[in-house]
Amino acid sequence: MVRLAGNQYGKAEVHVVRIGRGEAFDGGDLIRDWTVSTSLSGDVSACYESGDNSNVLSTDTQKNTVFALAQQLGDVEPEVLALALASHFVSTQQPITRARVAVQQHEWTHFGPHSFARSGRHTRTAVIVHDAEAGTTVVGGVGDLVLMNTTDSEFSGFPRDKYTTLAETNDRVLATAVDARWRFRGSDADWSGAFAVALDVLMGAFRDTYSYSLQQTLYAMGTAVLGAVPDICEVRLALPNKHHFLVDLSPFDQPNDNEVFYAADRPYGLIEGEVLADDAPDAGLAWT
Amino acid sequence: MVRLAGNQYGKAEVHVVRIGRGEAFDGGDLIRDWTVSTSLSGDVSACYESGDNSNVLSTDTQKNTVFALAQQLGDVEPEVLALALASHFVSTQQPITRARVAVQQHEWTHFGPHSFARSGRHTRTAVIVHDAEAGTTVVGGVGDLVLMNTTDSEFSGFPRDKYTTLAETNDRVLATAVDARWRFRGSDADWSGAFAVALDVLMGAFRDTYSYSLQQTLYAMGTAVLGAVPDICEVRLALPNKHHFLVDLSPFDQPNDNEVFYAADRPYGLIEGEVLADDAPDAGLAWT
Amino acid sequence: MVRLAGNQYGKAEVHVVRIGRGEAFDGGDLIRDWTVSTSLSGDVSACYESGDNSNVLSTDTQKNTVFALAQQLGDVEPEVLALALASHFVSTQQPITRARVAVQQHEWTHFGPHSFARSGRHTRTAVIVHDAEAGTTVVGGVGDLVLMNTTDSEFSGFPRDKYTTLAETNDRVLATAVDARWRFRGSDADWSGAFAVALDVLMGAFRDTYSYSLQQTLYAMGTAVLGAVPDICEVRLALPNKHHFLVDLSPFDQPNDNEVFYAADRPYGLIEGEVLADDAPDAGLAWT
Amino acid sequence: MVRLAGNQYGKAEVHVVRIGRGEAFDGGDLIRDWTVSTSLSGDVSACYESGDNSNVLSTDTQKNTVFALAQQLGDVEPEVLALALASHFVSTQQPITRARVAVQQHEWTHFGPHSFARSGRHTRTAVIVHDAEAGTTVVGGVGDLVLMNTTDSEFSGFPRDKYTTLAETNDRVLATAVDARWRFRGSDADWSGAFAVALDVLMGAFRDTYSYSLQQTLYAMGTAVLGAVPDICEVRLALPNKHHFLVDLSPFDQPNDNEVFYAADRPYGLIEGEVLADDAPDAGLAWT
């Protein structure tokens, strides 16, 4: 005998842009550029098991709801949009007991009252899980933030087994693409303030940590966010080690005093860690 | 106070190709084309918290180990490679208590004793988690398998709320890119036999299910695998609904009797489900 | 003074799927899966220079035309679709004197009368340029075809300058992703027959050439197509050298007798060449 | 009879990072992050036709040369690196008569003397062709620059044929990803000054042009560059129309006064144009 042990269904990557006409302080426009993914679960096993769709809110409707709420809510933080969507689905659809809504916000910068240039510096993320029993969790974050320190990074003192060939180094380039997610203690906070501070201290910790390993830098970054934003109780980081290998120019009788590097794509180190406040509430479904 | 609540680190996407010279039945070569990602965890908090690397097996060494074991093991199934790697790391590195090894196998087809064409039909996957306490789990799978039924698919009977505009349909195109993962009951099985049967019945169930929803098709596919491969106790499927929208040709006075479609990229439906045998052993860390 | 020296505008990547109901020999369906890009040029300088759109067929209309003609034409070769589209635009829009239409055909294989699995083995391409003065050219092709020879490939005898460190080798892996384009002598041919033969001899020449360089293999492939398909007068090939580097396992006291390789992504060699029949007609605008 | 009608071979996508230690005005580091592709041609037909490699500078050597010259040249503009590489290959390898070198420069911003964040705002490009007979051409450019005007854009007055369904609009969102290439009159100029001015006026022309079509905006952008940088004699632009479609919220009794849009991926309009100064020198091989 088999059974449906878990399920979720939704609409992925609804790309919605909301323009706030004349809403900028200078009378220009505001812009919100979001990619939204919704996912619902609940008592929909009849659909999976026999094709009975009577409890299944179509993914097309989920998409429409994203557009409709984006208009109703106006210029809000991504966390606010996601919270409203998740709450809407669970409160209006009796069979749906859980909604997960993920928003990726693409950033733009003004260069005229009606003119914007897309900033590729980073993206901002928000993931809300709203469950009828387990409650609501809010996870904010930043992605696609590529950082490099050109010095003040070592890697040595590691164990050597029979497959170890790596030389120790006391001066290397350290580069990564930051993927950071932070869990809020509650479902009400100064979302944009928290984002701004978190981004600032993540970059500051990366810059200011004399690094003996990317793991150490990761821990410093997570700790910095917890120290700077009391509303945040947990930080999860995934940091690829974007290797920069010093090129051997000695065959050409040229020096290479930590100057010319080959930036490799694959393979890459991948360092992941979770930094948790001792008094953090239970994570519930936050990370699902 | 904060603490490191979880960590893992490793080398991602080591692309290794192993050629078995003269090992094919006809005297030609065999090929294994793998992308391998390793990830270790254990008592390495000193590294995160203070930069003490004495317990950290470098990701470079992990990469070397992938190459070395690929040579030692020869022409093996991806599950065998991943099991050997995971066991190696935990058994030889005292501070490491858990290893997760993921392998993606790219398929090639012969067209000469030494000549191969890459098959883009699907990729095969294996994920092993080997934990000193929780034991070993094996998850096989298939990805990048794009399937389409041109008929025998409906979608109707779904609830209509204020944001519903979707019309009911009793004849639509159903297309998806199958991402299936199956958990084995133990760490010893006929891996390639299981893969071949699972792939066959996944495709058969997709083809033969008169579909009232992609959810229903998903459940039929998962059930078919459990029914056909006794060594498998759980199947997890993620099926994007690759929408094919009928183009309205009426402005041009042309018929369009389910003939010409626009294939959309985004947004897309995403249907996920887990089908579990009633007597399945505990999943442990299989899905981490 | 400045002027508009050239222009083209169109709709890129219209993804159209046409299903032929009951048209297969066994009563099942046929499928054509095309990504179509159209591009028009002509006397539209007023649009560029002053925003006068009276001569500009909108790209939205170009998209509609793709869908409409896909329905009208039915199950045709991609060259036929592209020829019809290009001719349509030039003949019906007086200011438009040139149309370029590119089609990428994605291949599917049957596994049931109404069931298809996408074949990732290769894609088929067609590019038509139809110019009121210069006439019509037809270029067919194949892309995304990844091939590997595990032996019978050398690379030696090359010049050594002060920056040369590469060792000579008399047995290496040769792998590439074939991008081949062939120009037809006229605008009427057995398109699918030509494609089948060209694909077959491209693969055969890759397999059967004992290779001293990828350049040599390229020339053999192009020559084979010209020899096998009289309707084709020119072949252009772009062959990335997908490097497979032998891994040095000697630090681990392991042999590596051309067995275990690291498959690199970047950088890669890129070899390009044009093989032309002596009696080829002028290429006109074929390669624009 | 067939013959080799054209050829080129080289190393693509050498990713080199050069760090200038203490070279910044404040004593911090400078960084150059380049992806370099080289391509050589000349009297190498013996290689294609018979596998004689005696005239073929290996692509591995080309890669080494990129690294070596990056060290020798230090903190230079991408045009300077490309010019030096192209000249080196042609002048030192007798059979090589032409070199094409393309550089993509990835931009970083300081946030500490040794700390950098990658700017995804745009990339800078340079393409040099150095030919023993035809001389040297320099093309600079910018890519990946995504711009949006939220108003001051119309599209109307276009012809309507039987396949036209598009409504006229007098207020739409205009968004594009700028790909601009500019040809210099000579091989000596203030490269970074020209880049800065060109980028500035491209963005300014996009912002300030009340647009009746993207074609018109393109022409204004190209004209602006020619007007602002006397060293530039030709500009080629490829501007995708990144469609933002107004969402119909009327089924939900909601207004949508140019506020909420669906940002589509495919298909997209693609507008291309070349703006040329009347006194521009012959383009030679610049655009090959």
Side-chain angles (χ1 to χ4, degrees):
Chain A
M1 293 294 292
V2 306
R3 62 190 171 85
L4 185 70
N7 76 84
Q8 55 182 352
Y9 71 100
K11 195 66 116 191
E13 300 189 35
V14 178
H15 192 172
V16 54
V17 172
R18 191 264 172 187
I19 297 173
R21 302 284 169 182
E23 296 181 3
F25 73 96
D26 62 353
D29 296 339
L30 292 180
I31 191 171
R32 291 281 178 177
D33 181 348
W34 291 315
T35 302
V36 182
S37 297
T38 61
S39 194
L40 310 181
S41 38
D43 180 15
V44 295
S45 57
C47 176
Y48 285 80
E49 290 166 19
S50 66
D52 174 356
N53 296 323
S54 58
N55 280 354
V56 172
L57 190 72
S58 74
T59 67
D60 188 78
T61 295
Q62 296 178 43
K63 177 200 67 180
N64 287 347
T65 308
V66 170
F67 288 125
L69 267 67
Q71 193 276 326
Q72 293 171 29
L73 294 168
D75 184 60
V76 295
E77 300 301 313
E79 289 86 350
V80 174
L81 174 73
L83 280 163
L85 281 165
S87 172
H88 166 84
F89 291 126
V90 173
S91 64
T92 63
Q93 291 293 316
Q94 188 271 328
I96 303 303
T97 55
R98 185 185 306 168
R100 181 184 187 279
V101 179
V103 180
Q104 186 181 31
Q105 179 171 290
H106 312 285
E107 307 289 1
W108 296 77
T109 53
H110 264 287
F111 70 102
H114 311 292
S115 299
F116 299 82
R118 186 151 164 176
S119 162
R121 187 72 164 275
H122 62 254
T123 54
R124 178 175 166 188
T125 62
V127 176
I128 269 66
V129 180
H130 178 93
D131 184 82
E133 290 193 2
T136 302
T137 56
V138 180
V139 173
V142 65
D144 302 316
L145 173 69
V146 182
L147 304 179
M148 178 189 292
N149 282 334
T150 52
T151 188
D152 289 350
S153 168
E154 304 192 9
F155 190 59
S156 62
F158 48 84
R160 307 192 74 85
D161 74 1
K162 65 187 292 196
Y163 299 123
T164 302
T165 57
L166 185 69
E168 306 208 334
T169 175
N170 62 1
D171 193 1
R172 64 170 182 174
V173 169
L174 189 69
T176 190
V178 178
D179 174 3
R181 316 281 149 176
W182 44 81
R183 176 161 64 95
F184 287 91
R185 293 177 184 273
S187 53
D188 190 14
D190 173 6
W191 310 117
S192 64
F195 179 83
V197 173
L199 178 61
D200 186 58
V201 300
L202 282 169
M203 291 177 68
F206 179 84
R207 178 190 59 214
D208 298 334
T209 301
Y210 187 98
S211 176
Y212 292 95
S213 68
L214 186 49
Q215 283 90 331
Q216 183 200 13
T217 296
L218 180 153
Y219 189 72
M221 293 168 76
T223 302
V225 174
L226 289 178
V229 189
D231 281 335
I232 295 175
C233 61
E234 183 180 5
V235 181
R236 295 194 176 187
L237 287 145
L239 300 183
N241 193 339
K242 297 174 78 74
H243 304 302
H244 286 65
F245 297 114
L246 194 69
V247 178
D248 179 10
L249 299 178
S250 63
F252 324 132
D253 290 324
Q254 285 183 226
N256 191 1
D257 188 15
N258 253 354
E259 180 182 1
V260 173
F261 296 84
Y262 160 59
D265 298 309
R266 295 196 301 177
Y268 55 94
L270 181 59
I271 314 301
E272 298 170 277
E274 314 166 14
V275 185
L276 186 71
D278 282 341
D279 63 347
D282 186 74
L285 300 164
W287 301 106
T288 57
Chain B
M1 294 292 292
V2 306
R3 62 190 169 84
L4 184 70
N7 76 82
Q8 54 183 353
Y9 71 99
K11 195 65 118 191
E13 301 188 35
V14 179
H15 192 171
V16 55
V17 172
R18 190 265 171 187
I19 297 173
R21 303 284 168 184
E23 296 182 2
F25 72 95
D26 62 353
D29 295 339
L30 292 179
I31 192 172
R32 293 281 178 178
D33 181 348
W34 291 315
T35 302
V36 182
S37 297
T38 61
S39 193
L40 309 182
S41 36
D43 180 16
V44 294
S45 55
C47 176
Y48 285 80
E49 289 165 18
S50 65
D52 173 355
N53 297 323
S54 59
N55 280 353
V56 172
L57 190 71
S58 74
T59 66
D60 189 77
T61 296
Q62 296 178 43
K63 176 199 69 178
N64 287 348
T65 309
V66 170
F67 289 125
L69 267 67
Q71 193 276 328
Q72 292 171 28
L73 294 168
D75 184 60
V76 296
E77 301 301 313
E79 289 87 350
V80 173
L81 174 73
L83 280 163
L85 282 164
S87 173
H88 167 84
F89 291 125
V90 173
S91 64
T92 63
Q93 292 293 316
Q94 188 271 328
I96 303 301
T97 54
R98 186 186 305 167
R100 181 184 187 277
V101 179
V103 180
Q104 186 180 32
Q105 179 171 290
H106 311 285
E107 307 289 1
W108 296 77
T109 53
H110 264 287
F111 71 102
H114 311 294
S115 299
F116 298 82
R118 186 151 163 176
S119 162
R121 187 72 164 275
H122 61 255
T123 54
R124 179 176 166 186
T125 62
V127 177
I128 269 65
V129 180
H130 179 93
D131 185 81
E133 290 191 5
T136 303
T137 56
V138 181
V139 172
V142 66
D144 302 316
L145 174 69
V146 182
L147 303 179
M148 178 190 291
N149 283 334
T150 52
T151 189
D152 291 351
S153 169
E154 304 192 8
F155 190 59
S156 62
F158 48 84
R160 308 192 73 84
D161 73 2
K162 64 185 294 196
Y163 298 124
T164 303
T165 57
L166 185 69
E168 306 207 335
T169 175
N170 61 2
D171 194 1
R172 66 170 182 174
V173 168
L174 188 69
T176 191
V178 178
D179 173 2
R181 316 280 150 177
W182 44 81
R183 176 162 63 94
F184 287 92
R185 293 177 184 273
S187 53
D188 189 14
D190 173 6
W191 309 117
S192 65
F195 179 83
V197 172
L199 177 61
D200 186 60
V201 301
L202 282 169
M203 292 178 66
F206 179 85
R207 178 191 59 214
D208 298 335
T209 301
Y210 187 98
S211 175
Y212 292 94
S213 68
L214 186 48
Q215 284 89 331
Q216 182 199 14
T217 296
L218 180 153
Y219 189 72
M221 292 167 77
T223 302
V225 173
L226 290 178
V229 188
D231 282 335
I232 296 175
C233 62
E234 182 181 4
V235 181
R236 296 194 175 186
L237 287 145
L239 301 183
N241 192 341
K242 296 175 78 73
H243 303 302
H244 285 65
F245 296 115
L246 194 69
V247 179
D248 180 10
L249 299 179
S250 64
F252 325 131
D253 291 324
Q254 284 183 226
N256 191 1
D257 188 15
N258 253 354
E259 182 182 359
V260 173
F261 297 84
Y262 161 58
D265 298 310
R266 294 197 303 175
Y268 55 93
L270 181 58
I271 315 300
E272 298 171 276
E274 314 167 14
V275 185
L276 188 70
D278 282 340
D279 63 347
D282 185 73
L285 299 165
W287 301 106
T288 56
Chain C
M1 294 292 292
V2 306
R3 61 189 171 86
L4 184 70
N7 76 83
Q8 55 182 352
Y9 71 99
K11 195 67 117 191
E13 299 189 35
V14 179
H15 192 172
V16 54
V17 173
R18 190 263 171 187
I19 298 173
R21 302 284 169 183
E23 295 181 3
F25 73 95
D26 63 351
D29 295 340
L30 292 180
I31 191 172
R32 291 281 180 179
D33 181 348
W34 291 315
T35 303
V36 182
S37 298
T38 60
S39 194
L40 309 181
S41 37
D43 180 15
V44 295
S45 56
C47 176
Y48 285 80
E49 289 166 18
S50 66
D52 173 357
N53 296 323
S54 58
N55 280 353
V56 172
L57 190 72
S58 74
T59 67
D60 189 77
T61 296
Q62 295 178 43
K63 176 199 69 181
N64 287 348
T65 309
V66 171
F67 289 125
L69 267 66
Q71 193 276 327
Q72 293 171 28
L73 294 167
D75 183 62
V76 294
E77 300 302 313
E79 287 87 351
V80 173
L81 175 71
L83 281 163
L85 282 163
S87 173
H88 167 84
F89 291 125
V90 173
S91 64
T92 64
Q93 292 293 316
Q94 188 270 328
I96 304 301
T97 53
R98 186 187 304 167
R100 182 185 187 277
V101 179
V103 180
Q104 185 181 34
Q105 178 170 291
H106 312 284
E107 307 289 359
W108 296 78
T109 53
H110 264 287
F111 70 102
H114 312 291
S115 299
F116 299 82
R118 185 151 164 176
S119 163
R121 187 72 162 276
H122 62 256
T123 54
R124 179 176 165 186
T125 62
V127 176
I128 270 66
V129 180
H130 178 94
D131 184 80
E133 290 191 4
T136 303
T137 56
V138 181
V139 172
V142 66
D144 303 315
L145 173 69
V146 182
L147 303 179
M148 178 190 291
N149 283 333
T150 53
T151 189
D152 290 351
S153 169
E154 304 193 7
F155 190 59
S156 62
F158 47 84
R160 308 192 72 85
D161 74 1
K162 65 186 292 196
Y163 298 125
T164 302
T165 57
L166 184 70
E168 307 208 334
T169 176
N170 61 1
D171 193 2
R172 64 171 183 174
V173 168
L174 188 70
T176 191
V178 178
D179 174 1
R181 316 280 150 176
W182 44 81
R183 177 160 64 95
F184 287 91
R185 293 177 183 273
S187 54
D188 189 15
D190 172 8
W191 309 118
S192 66
F195 179 82
V197 172
L199 177 61
D200 187 59
V201 300
L202 282 169
M203 293 177 66
F206 179 84
R207 177 191 59 214
D208 298 334
T209 302
Y210 187 98
S211 175
Y212 291 94
S213 68
L214 187 48
Q215 283 90 331
Q216 183 199 13
T217 296
L218 180 152
Y219 189 72
M221 293 169 76
T223 302
V225 174
L226 289 178
V229 189
D231 281 336
I232 296 175
C233 61
E234 182 181 4
V235 181
R236 295 194 176 187
L237 287 145
L239 300 183
N241 193 341
K242 298 175 77 74
H243 303 302
H244 284 66
F245 296 115
L246 194 69
V247 179
D248 179 11
L249 299 179
S250 64
F252 324 133
D253 291 323
Q254 285 184 226
N256 191 2
D257 187 15
N258 253 355
E259 181 182 359
V260 173
F261 297 85
Y262 160 58
D265 298 312
R266 295 197 303 176
Y268 55 94
L270 180 58
I271 315 300
E272 299 171 276
E274 314 166 14
V275 185
L276 186 71
D278 282 339
D279 63 346
D282 185 74
L285 300 164
W287 301 107
T288 58
Chain D
M1 293 295 291
V2 304
R3 62 189 170 87
L4 184 70
N7 75 83
Q8 55 183 351
Y9 71 99
K11 196 66 116 190
E13 301 189 34
V14 179
H15 192 171
V16 54
V17 172
R18 191 263 171 187
I19 297 173
R21 303 283 168 184
E23 296 181 2
F25 72 96
D26 62 352
D29 295 339
L30 292 181
I31 192 171
R32 292 281 178 177
D33 182 348
W34 291 315
T35 303
V36 182
S37 298
T38 60
S39 194
L40 309 181
S41 34
D43 180 15
V44 295
S45 56
C47 176
Y48 285 80
E49 289 165 21
S50 66
D52 174 356
N53 296 323
S54 58
N55 280 352
V56 172
L57 190 72
S58 74
T59 68
D60 190 77
T61 296
Q62 295 178 44
K63 177 199 69 180
N64 287 348
T65 309
V66 170
F67 289 125
L69 267 66
Q71 194 277 327
Q72 293 171 27
L73 294 168
D75 183 62
V76 294
E77 301 301 313
E79 288 87 351
V80 174
L81 174 72
L83 281 163
L85 282 164
S87 172
H88 166 85
F89 291 125
V90 173
S91 64
T92 63
Q93 292 293 315
Q94 188 270 329
I96 304 300
T97 54
R98 185 185 305 167
R100 181 185 188 276
V101 179
V103 179
Q104 185 180 33
Q105 179 171 290
H106 312 283
E107 307 289 1
W108 296 78
T109 54
H110 264 288
F111 70 103
H114 311 293
S115 298
F116 299 83
R118 185 151 164 176
S119 163
R121 187 72 164 276
H122 61 255
T123 54
R124 177 175 167 188
T125 61
V127 177
I128 270 66
V129 180
H130 179 93
D131 185 80
E133 291 191 4
T136 302
T137 57
V138 180
V139 174
V142 65
D144 302 316
L145 173 69
V146 183
L147 303 179
M148 179 189 291
N149 283 333
T150 52
T151 188
D152 291 350
S153 169
E154 305 193 7
F155 190 59
S156 62
F158 47 84
R160 308 192 73 84
D161 74 1
K162 65 186 293 195
Y163 299 123
T164 302
T165 56
L166 186 69
E168 305 206 335
T169 175
N170 60 2
D171 194 1
R172 65 171 182 174
V173 169
L174 188 70
T176 191
V178 178
D179 174 2
R181 315 282 150 176
W182 44 81
R183 177 161 63 94
F184 288 91
R185 293 176 184 273
S187 53
D188 189 15
D190 173 7
W191 309 118
S192 65
F195 180 83
V197 172
L199 178 61
D200 187 59
V201 301
L202 282 169
M203 292 178 65
F206 180 85
R207 178 191 59 214
D208 298 334
T209 301
Y210 187 98
S211 175
Y212 292 94
S213 68
L214 187 49
Q215 283 90 330
Q216 182 199 13
T217 296
L218 180 153
Y219 189 73
M221 293 168 76
T223 301
V225 173
L226 289 178
V229 188
D231 281 336
I232 296 176
C233 60
E234 182 181 5
V235 182
R236 296 194 175 186
L237 288 145
L239 300 182
N241 192 339
K242 296 176 76 75
H243 303 303
H244 285 66
F245 296 115
L246 194 69
V247 179
D248 179 11
L249 299 179
S250 64
F252 324 133
D253 291 324
Q254 284 183 226
N256 191 1
D257 188 15
N258 254 354
E259 181 182 0
V260 173
F261 296 84
Y262 160 59
D265 297 310
R266 296 196 303 174
Y268 55 94
L270 181 59
I271 314 301
E272 298 171 276
E274 313 166 16
V275 186
L276 186 71
D278 282 340
D279 63 347
D282 186 72
L285 299 164
W287 301 107
T288 56

